Amino acid sequence: MQLVVNVDSAASRPVAPFKALLTIRGDAPSFEPRQRLRFIATLRPVVPEPASLPFERTYASRLMSRGIAATATVLPADLSCVAPPSGFRAVLSRMGASFRRHIAWMPVSSETSSFLLATLAADDSMISAEARGRFSLSGTAHVLALSGMHVAIIAALLFLVLLPLNLLSRAKWRWPVALAALWLYALLVGAPVSVVRAVIMLSLIALAEILERRPFPLNSLCAAALVILCFDPAQLYSVGFQLSFLAVGGILLLSRPLNPFCRDGVQPPLFSEIVCVTLAATLATAPLVAFRFHIFPVWFLLSNLVMLLLLPPLMFGAAGLLLLNLCGFRAEPLGDALDLLYKAIAGALDAIGSLPLSALSDICLSSHTVIAVYAAILLLALGLNYPPLRRGLLSAALAVALLGVALQALQPPPLTRPAVFIPAERRETFLLLSHRDTLTAVSTLPQHLSQARRIAAQRWPEFLLRQGVDSVSLASPSGVSPLLVRRGCLVTAFGRRIVMLDGRPDSLPRGHVDYLVVAADLRSSLLPVVEALRPDTVVLASALSSRAASRASALLDSLSIPALRPPLTILP
């Protein structure tokens, strides 16, 4: 079990707060959010790891992206609760947990329940992999994360509920009551960035209306970004923060200029507004989505139209069912209607996903290309919004877009020459042989036990994509392939002789070798092996124990043989 905690004191002394990841061995007690814990452990700082391959996603980089600064291993006996959660945040946490439980108890199917938990309570932990793939391929993955669209639907529902205030001549109270409810809702669901951004913008628009001033949404968007970054500057590097603000910025800058029916003083048709808002949001987020997730849904417009038609009645019905459930009424017919709505959404998205070219996958953009594309989009937005400079700005946008295309066309693969990589992997020692669009793993373990393929897909997906490699092939214990010749522990690749020693130095090849890879602790001394093989370099694998590595290093130093530790790259 793993637990992320905020550490604010060590050895009974206050320290600057930081996040730590605790790995608990054995059966751990259950804890509530906001509980104050005491644990006894040695904290190890998270430091950047050297990459075994280009574009590697190391374990340390994944932890640092989550803001985790230290790790520790804790025994259950060394972990205890000092004080139960208290204060306003604890109350909100308990209310949020109760809110999620009541959604889960509604009389709907498990698929509908998981979808409502994601779209109403910002809890997507119950969404299945099949459902995630359905929404991702259709370009509607943003629906599974609470955003401004969800807040707008909830705000519309609140104003519908507050209509009686108009009849009581208390219309001026609509905005304060609605905003108070929206802020409470934002806190209940954990204050996701997209929800906080939407509520801040609504608050500023409401303030402008109360003061009888003209609202300027772009200023509201900038103010929302400033407030969020003041409280959490690390959000600037979050993909969710970037996509949320890019989408809204694109809508504000591009939706009206792209709408041919939009004229001064004339309200354009609703359908044209929906289409142009979807186009603007997609245009603003597509480069970042392609850069981060390597995919672009082709039929995004059709799938988003389906969501805009079916999501509001589904959320309205879910809110009504939740209210009836809180009052003690099961209202199963309403639950059946919600199931039918979700099945209609899932069926429509599956149909769109089955269309030809439903999504362009394996897109690999360079950072320079993405910067050039966003510069072109910004120039396009400025040109469409400022007619006097339109011709020059549109010409500049076209030139920058062509520059981005040229940069992408000139982008070389990360590795153009043959190479042998020895990754820093403790679970298994293996070589990775790379040449053009082929990547082969040579492991000390049998093929049916090797995890090299899974490790490669987990740690080096970006490298595989940029090299044009679909998957990693495993070399047989003995045989010949286009990249290597293997005879037992001897691997000959790209003119290099490499011996992989896995603790059984019984059958060694004859003659000199270039590299000796010590993959496991030896049962006897390393000296006879070194004298027999006469290696130019010895590689002490990460799987070696620290004691065995120290003994081997001392022996090799006395023999004047270089001793290296992975990660290591061998070029022919």
Side-chain angles (χ1 to χ4, degrees), residues 14-30:
V15 297
F18 62 91
K19 284 185 180 180
L21 177 66
L22 304 183
T23 301
I24 305 172
R25 292 184 175 177
D27 296 330
S30 60

Side-chain angles (χ1 to χ4, degrees), residues 494-516:
F494 310 134
R496 302 281 187 174
R497 285 165 53 89
I498 305 171
V499 169
M500 301 182 66
L501 202 61
D502 61 353
R504 299 184 298 274
D506 300 327
S507 56
L508 295 174
R510 296 182 179 180
H512 163 267
V513 298
D514 297 291
Y515 290 89
L516 170 63

Side-chain angles (χ1 to χ4, degrees), residues 546-562:
S546 56
R547 184 177 179 182
S550 298
R551 288 201 307 264
S553 296
L555 172 64
L556 296 171
D557 286 343
S558 64
L559 298 175
S560 300
I561 297 177

Side-chain angles (χ1 to χ4, degrees), residues 159-478:
F159 277 104
L160 187 64
V161 173
L162 295 173
L163 272 179
L165 290 177
N166 290 347
L167 303 176
L168 298 174
S169 301
R170 294 289 186 271
K172 64 180 181 180
W173 289 101
R174 287 183 308 161
W175 273 114
V177 174
L179 289 177
L182 286 173
W183 276 111
L184 177 62
Y185 173 74
L187 295 174
L188 282 179
V189 298
V193 170
S194 54
V195 175
V196 174
R197 184 260 309 153
V199 177
I200 290 175
M201 292 185 66
L202 276 175
S203 301
L204 294 174
I205 292 172
L207 182 62
E209 182 170 325
I210 292 171
L211 297 177
E212 298 182 354
R213 302 290 297 272
R214 182 187 172 207
F216 194 62
L218 200 57
N219 283 352
S220 301
L221 179 66
C222 296
L226 183 62
V227 171
I228 292 172
L229 293 176
C230 283
F231 283 95
D232 189 3
Q235 285 291 340
L236 183 63
Y237 303 100
S238 166
V239 179
F241 176 91
Q242 296 166 4
L243 289 175
S244 176
F245 280 86
L246 281 173
V248 178
I251 291 171
L252 296 178
L253 291 174
L254 293 171
S255 60
R256 290 183 64 83
L258 290 176
N259 194 337
F261 301 98
C262 189
R263 301 183 183 89
D264 293 337
V266 178
Q267 181 66 29
L270 179 60
F271 180 77
S272 69
E273 283 194 294
I274 292 174
V275 171
C276 292
V277 164
T278 304
L279 282 174
T282 304
L283 182 62
T285 56
L288 184 60
V289 170
F291 177 69
R292 291 281 192 171
F293 306 109
H294 314 293
I295 190 171
F296 177 74
V298 176
W299 302 104
F300 66 91
L301 185 57
L302 185 58
S303 56
N304 278 279
L305 288 175
V306 169
M307 293 306 304
L308 288 172
L309 289 174
L310 298 181
L311 185 61
L314 180 61
M315 291 184 66
F316 277 23
L321 182 58
L322 179 61
L323 183 60
L324 292 173
N325 200 33
L326 290 172
C327 296
F329 300 101
R330 290 291 290 172
E332 293 185 0
L334 181 55
D336 294 338
L338 295 183
D339 286 336
L340 288 176
L341 273 174
Y342 179 72
K343 287 180 180 178
I345 290 175
L349 296 185
D350 285 338
I352 294 171
S354 63
L355 293 174
L357 292 175
S358 60
L360 302 178
S361 58
D362 296 339
I363 300 174
C364 192
L365 299 179
S366 67
S367 56
H368 300 89
T369 302
V370 174
I371 293 172
V373 169
Y374 272 115
I377 293 174
L378 181 59
L379 290 170
L380 172 66
L382 293 174
L384 293 176
N385 283 281
Y386 296 99
L389 302 176
R390 178 168 297 173
R391 180 174 296 179
L393 289 173
L394 293 183
S395 300
L398 178 61
V400 174
L402 292 175
L403 174 63
V405 173
L407 290 173
Q408 183 64 24
L410 296 174
Q411 178 190 359
L415 196 66
T416 55
R417 54 187 298 192
V420 179
F421 299 99
I422 306 179
E425 182 59 46
R426 293 184 179 276
R427 294 167 288 181
E428 177 184 353
T429 301
F430 57 88
L431 309 179
L432 278 175
L433 282 67
S434 173
H435 184 49
R436 296 179 182 172
D437 58 351
T438 305
L439 196 63
T440 303
V442 183
S443 176
T444 56
L445 296 179
Q447 284 185 309
H448 67 283
L449 296 178
S450 176
Q451 298 294 315
R453 287 181 175 176
R454 184 183 62 81
I455 294 170
Q458 181 182 16
R459 292 177 55 182
W460 306 300
E462 186 86 3
F463 176 79
L464 299 182
L465 183 62
R466 291 178 181 271
Q467 283 291 113
V469 179
D470 294 330
S471 62
V472 177
S473 60
L474 286 174
S476 59
S478 295

Side-chain angles (χ1 to χ4, degrees), residues 68-126:
I68 295 173
T71 61
T73 303
V74 185
L75 297 174
D78 295 331
L79 182 63
S80 60
C81 176
V82 177
S86 61
F88 180 65
R89 290 178 131 188
V91 173
L92 286 174
S93 179
R94 287 194 290 268
M95 291 175 63
S98 177
F99 179 54
R100 291 189 292 272
R101 282 196 301 271
H102 281 93
I103 293 176
W105 290 342
M106 291 194 302
V108 294
S109 66
S110 58
E111 289 188 353
T112 307
S113 178
S114 62
F115 179 75
L116 292 177
L117 277 171
T119 53
L120 289 176
D123 182 5
D124 62 351
S125 59
M126 303 300 293

